[in-house]
Coordinates of all heavy atoms in Angstrom, one line a residue:
A308 N 0.3 -14.9 6.1 CA -0.9 -15.1 7.0 C -1.6 -16.4 6.6 O -2.1 -17.1 7.5 CB -1.8 -13.9 7.0
F309 N -1.7 -16.7 5.4 CA -2.4 -17.9 4.9 C -1.5 -19.2 5.2 O -2.1 -20.2 5.6 CB -2.6 -17.8 3.4 CG -3.8 -16.9 3.1 CD1 -3.6 -16.0 2.0 CD2 -5.0 -16.9 3.7 CE1 -4.7 -15.2 1.6 CE2 -6.0 -16.1 3.4 CZ -5.9 -15.2 2.4
G310 N -0.2 -19.1 4.9 CA 0.6 -20.3 4.9 C 2.0 -20.2 5.5 O 2.8 -21.0 5.3
G311 N 2.2 -19.1 6.3 CA 3.5 -18.9 6.9 C 4.6 -18.7 6.0 O 4.5 -18.3 4.8
V312 N 5.8 -19.0 6.4 CA 7.0 -18.8 5.7 C 7.0 -19.7 4.4 O 7.5 -19.3 3.4 CB 8.3 -19.1 6.5 CG1 9.6 -19.0 5.7 CG2 8.4 -18.1 7.7
D313 N 6.6 -20.9 4.6 CA 6.6 -21.8 3.4 C 5.8 -21.3 2.2 O 6.4 -21.3 1.1 CB 6.1 -23.2 3.8 CG 7.0 -23.9 4.8 OD1 8.0 -24.5 4.3 OD2 6.7 -23.9 6.0
M314 N 4.6 -20.8 2.4 CA 3.8 -20.3 1.4 C 4.4 -19.0 0.8 O 4.4 -18.7 -0.4 CB 2.4 -20.0 1.8 CG 1.4 -19.6 0.7 SD -0.3 -19.5 1.2 CE -0.7 -21.2 1.3
T315 N 5.0 -18.2 1.7 CA 5.6 -17.0 1.3 C 6.8 -17.2 0.3 O 7.0 -16.6 -0.7 CB 6.2 -16.2 2.5 OG1 5.0 -15.9 3.3 CG2 6.8 -14.9 2.1
L316 N 7.7 -18.2 0.7 CA 8.8 -18.5 -0.1 C 8.4 -19.1 -1.4 O 8.9 -18.7 -2.5 CB 9.7 -19.5 0.6 CG 10.4 -19.1 1.9 CD1 11.4 -20.2 2.4 CD2 11.3 -17.8 1.7
D317 N 7.4 -19.9 -1.4 CA 6.9 -20.5 -2.7 C 6.4 -19.4 -3.6 O 6.6 -19.4 -4.8 CB 5.8 -21.5 -2.4 CG 6.3 -22.8 -1.8 OD1 7.5 -23.0 -1.8 OD2 5.4 -23.6 -1.2
T318 N 5.7 -18.4 -3.0 CA 5.1 -17.3 -3.8 C 6.1 -16.5 -4.4 O 6.1 -16.1 -5.5 CB 4.1 -16.5 -2.9 OG1 3.1 -17.3 -2.5 CG2 3.6 -15.3 -3.7
V319 N 7.2 -16.1 -3.6 CA 8.3 -15.2 -4.1 C 9.0 -16.0 -5.2 O 9.4 -15.4 -6.3 CB 9.2 -14.8 -3.0 CG1 10.4 -14.1 -3.5 CG2 8.4 -13.9 -2.0
E320 N 9.3 -17.3 -5.0 CA 10.0 -18.1 -6.0 C 9.2 -18.1 -7.3 O 9.7 -18.0 -8.4 CB 10.3 -19.5 -5.5 CG 11.4 -19.6 -4.5 CD 11.7 -21.0 -4.0 OE1 10.8 -21.9 -4.2 OE2 12.8 -21.2 -3.6
N321 N 7.9 -18.3 -7.2 CA 7.0 -18.4 -8.4 C 7.0 -17.0 -9.1 O 7.0 -16.9 -10.3 CB 5.6 -18.7 -8.0 CG 4.7 -18.9 -9.1 OD1 4.8 -19.7 -10.0 ND2 3.7 -18.0 -9.2
L322 N 7.0 -15.9 -8.3 CA 7.0 -14.6 -8.9 C 8.2 -14.3 -9.7 O 8.2 -13.8 -10.8 CB 6.7 -13.5 -7.8 CG 6.8 -12.1 -8.3 CD1 5.6 -11.7 -9.2 CD2 6.9 -11.2 -7.0
L323 N 9.4 -14.6 -9.1 CA 10.7 -14.2 -9.7 C 11.4 -15.3 -10.4 O 12.4 -15.0 -11.1 CB 11.6 -13.7 -8.6 CG 11.1 -12.4 -7.8 CD1 11.9 -12.2 -6.6 CD2 11.1 -11.2 -8.8
D324 N 10.9 -16.5 -10.4 CA 11.5 -17.7 -11.1 C 13.0 -17.9 -10.7 O 13.8 -18.1 -11.5 CB 11.4 -17.5 -12.6 CG 11.5 -18.8 -13.4 OD1 11.3 -19.8 -12.7 OD2 11.9 -18.7 -14.6
I325 N 13.2 -17.8 -9.4 CA 14.6 -18.0 -8.8 C 14.4 -18.7 -7.5 O 13.3 -18.7 -6.9 CB 15.3 -16.7 -8.5 CG1 14.6 -15.8 -7.5 CG2 15.6 -15.9 -9.8 CD1 15.4 -14.7 -7.0
P326 N 15.5 -19.4 -7.1 CA 15.4 -20.1 -5.8 C 15.6 -19.0 -4.6 O 16.3 -18.0 -4.8 CB 16.6 -21.0 -5.7 CG 17.6 -20.4 -6.7 CD 16.7 -19.7 -7.7
V327 N 14.8 -19.2 -3.5 CA 15.0 -18.4 -2.3 C 15.7 -19.4 -1.4 O 14.9 -20.3 -0.8 CB 13.7 -17.8 -1.8 CG1 14.0 -17.0 -0.5 CG2 13.1 -16.9 -2.8
D328 N 16.9 -19.3 -1.1 CA 17.7 -20.3 -0.3 C 17.5 -20.1 1.2 O 17.3 -21.1 1.9 CB 19.2 -20.2 -0.6 CG 19.5 -20.4 -2.1 OD1 19.1 -21.5 -2.6 OD2 20.0 -19.5 -2.7
Y329 N 17.4 -18.8 1.6 CA 17.3 -18.6 3.1 C 16.2 -17.5 3.4 O 15.8 -16.8 2.5 CB 18.6 -18.0 3.6 CG 19.8 -18.9 3.4 CD1 20.8 -18.6 2.4 CD2 19.9 -20.2 4.0 CE1 21.8 -19.5 2.2 CE2 21.0 -21.0 3.8 CZ 21.9 -20.7 2.9 OH 23.0 -21.5 2.6
F330 N 15.7 -17.6 4.6 CA 14.8 -16.5 5.0 C 15.2 -16.1 6.4 O 15.8 -16.9 7.2 CB 13.3 -17.0 5.0 CG 13.0 -17.8 6.2 CD1 12.4 -17.2 7.4 CD2 13.2 -19.2 6.4 CE1 12.1 -17.9 8.5 CE2 12.9 -19.9 7.5 CZ 12.4 -19.3 8.6
V331 N 14.9 -14.8 6.7 CA 15.0 -14.3 8.1 C 13.8 -13.5 8.3 O 13.5 -12.6 7.5 CB 16.3 -13.5 8.2 CG1 16.4 -13.0 9.7 CG2 17.5 -14.2 7.8
S332 N 13.1 -13.7 9.4 CA 11.9 -12.9 9.7 C 12.0 -12.3 11.2 O 12.6 -13.0 12.0 CB 10.6 -13.7 9.7 OG 10.6 -14.8 10.6
L333 N 11.6 -11.1 11.3 CA 11.7 -10.4 12.6 C 10.5 -9.4 12.7 O 9.9 -9.1 11.7 CB 13.0 -9.6 12.7 CG 13.1 -8.3 12.0 CD1 14.2 -7.5 12.6 CD2 13.3 -8.4 10.6
N334 N 10.2 -8.9 13.9 CA 9.3 -7.9 14.1 C 9.9 -6.6 14.6 O 11.1 -6.6 14.8 CB 8.2 -8.4 15.1 CG 8.7 -8.7 16.5 OD1 9.7 -8.1 16.9 ND2 8.1 -9.6 17.2
F335 N 9.1 -5.5 14.7 CA 9.8 -4.3 14.9 C 10.3 -4.1 16.3 O 10.9 -3.1 16.6 CB 8.9 -3.1 14.4 CG 7.6 -3.0 15.1 CD1 7.4 -2.4 16.4 CD2 6.4 -3.4 14.5 CE1 6.3 -2.2 17.0 CE2 5.2 -3.2 15.1 CZ 5.1 -2.7 16.3
D336 N 9.9 -5.0 17.2 CA 10.5 -4.9 18.6 C 12.1 -5.0 18.5 O 12.8 -4.4 19.2 CB 10.1 -6.1 19.5 CG 8.8 -5.8 20.2 OD1 8.4 -4.6 20.2 OD2 8.1 -6.7 20.7
A337 N 12.5 -5.9 17.5 CA 13.9 -6.2 17.4 C 14.6 -4.9 16.9 O 15.7 -4.6 17.4 CB 14.1 -7.3 16.3
F338 N 14.1 -4.2 15.9 CA 14.7 -3.0 15.5 C 14.9 -2.0 16.5 O 16.0 -1.4 16.8 CB 13.8 -2.4 14.3 CG 14.2 -1.0 13.9 CD1 15.3 -0.8 13.2 CD2 13.4 0.1 14.3 CE1 15.7 0.5 12.8 CE2 13.8 1.4 13.9 CZ 15.0 1.6 13.1
M339 N 13.8 -1.7 17.3 CA 13.9 -0.7 18.4 C 14.8 -1.1 19.5 O 15.6 -0.3 20.0 CB 12.5 -0.4 18.9 CG 11.6 0.3 17.9 SD 10.0 0.9 18.6 CE 9.2 -0.7 18.9
E340 N 14.7 -2.4 19.9 CA 15.5 -2.8 21.1 C 17.0 -3.0 20.7 O 17.8 -2.7 21.6 CB 15.0 -4.2 21.6 CG 13.6 -4.0 22.3 CD 13.1 -5.3 22.8 OE1 13.9 -6.2 23.2 OE2 11.9 -5.5 22.8
I341 N 17.3 -3.3 19.5 CA 18.7 -3.4 19.1 C 19.3 -2.0 19.2 O 20.4 -1.8 19.8 CB 18.9 -3.9 17.7 CG1 18.6 -5.4 17.6 CG2 20.2 -3.7 17.1 CD1 18.5 -6.0 16.3
I342 N 18.6 -1.0 18.7 CA 19.2 0.4 18.8 C 19.3 0.8 20.2 O 20.3 1.5 20.6 CB 18.3 1.3 17.9 CG1 18.5 1.0 16.5 CG2 18.7 2.8 18.2 CD1 17.7 1.8 15.5
D343 N 18.3 0.5 21.0 CA 18.4 0.8 22.5 C 19.6 0.2 23.1 O 20.3 0.8 23.9 CB 17.1 0.4 23.2 CG 15.9 1.3 22.9 OD1 16.1 2.4 22.4 OD2 14.8 0.8 23.1
E344 N 19.9 -1.1 22.8 CA 21.0 -1.8 23.4 C 22.3 -1.2 22.9 O 23.4 -1.3 23.6 CB 21.0 -3.3 23.0 CG 19.8 -4.0 23.7 CD 19.9 -4.1 25.2 OE1 21.0 -3.8 25.7 OE2 18.9 -4.3 25.8
L345 N 22.3 -0.5 21.7 CA 23.5 0.1 21.2 C 23.6 1.6 21.8 O 24.5 2.3 21.3 CB 23.5 0.1 19.7 CG 23.6 -1.2 19.0 CD1 23.4 -1.1 17.5 CD2 24.8 -1.9 19.3
N346 N 22.8 1.9 22.7 CA 22.8 3.3 23.3 C 22.5 4.3 22.2 O 22.9 5.5 22.2 CB 24.1 3.6 23.9 CG 24.3 2.9 25.2 OD1 23.3 2.7 25.9 ND2 25.6 2.5 25.5
G347 N 21.6 4.0 21.2 CA 21.2 4.9 20.2 C 22.1 5.0 19.0 O 23.2 4.5 19.0
I348 N 21.7 5.7 18.0 CA 22.5 5.9 16.8 C 22.4 7.4 16.5 O 21.5 8.1 16.8 CB 21.9 5.1 15.5 CG1 20.4 5.5 15.3 CG2 22.1 3.7 15.7 CD1 19.8 4.9 14.1
T349 N 23.5 7.9 15.9 CA 23.7 9.3 15.6 C 23.2 9.6 14.1 O 23.5 8.9 13.2 CB 25.1 9.7 15.7 OG1 25.6 9.5 17.0 CG2 25.3 11.2 15.4
V350 N 22.3 10.6 14.0 CA 21.8 11.0 12.7 C 21.9 12.5 12.6 O 22.1 13.2 13.7 CB 20.4 10.6 12.5 CG1 20.2 9.1 12.6 CG2 19.4 11.3 13.4
D351 N 21.8 13.1 11.4 CA 21.8 14.5 11.2 C 20.5 14.9 10.4 O 20.6 14.8 9.2 CB 23.1 14.9 10.5 CG 23.2 16.5 10.4 OD1 22.4 17.2 10.9 OD2 24.3 16.9 9.8

Side-chain angles (χ1 to χ4, degrees):
F309 286 136
V312 173
D313 290 280
M314 186 175 287
T315 302
L316 295 182
D317 288 343
T318 297
V319 172
E320 289 185 333
N321 182 66
L322 175 68
L323 297 172
D324 200 21
I325 62 170
V327 178
D328 300 301
Y329 303 109
F330 83 92
V331 183
S332 63
L333 79 161
N334 61 29
F335 62 77
D336 276 346
F338 170 72
M339 293 186 292
E340 291 183 30
I341 287 171
I342 290 178
D343 286 341
E344 293 296 343
L345 296 175
N346 289 325
I348 55 172
T349 301
V350 303
D351 189 358

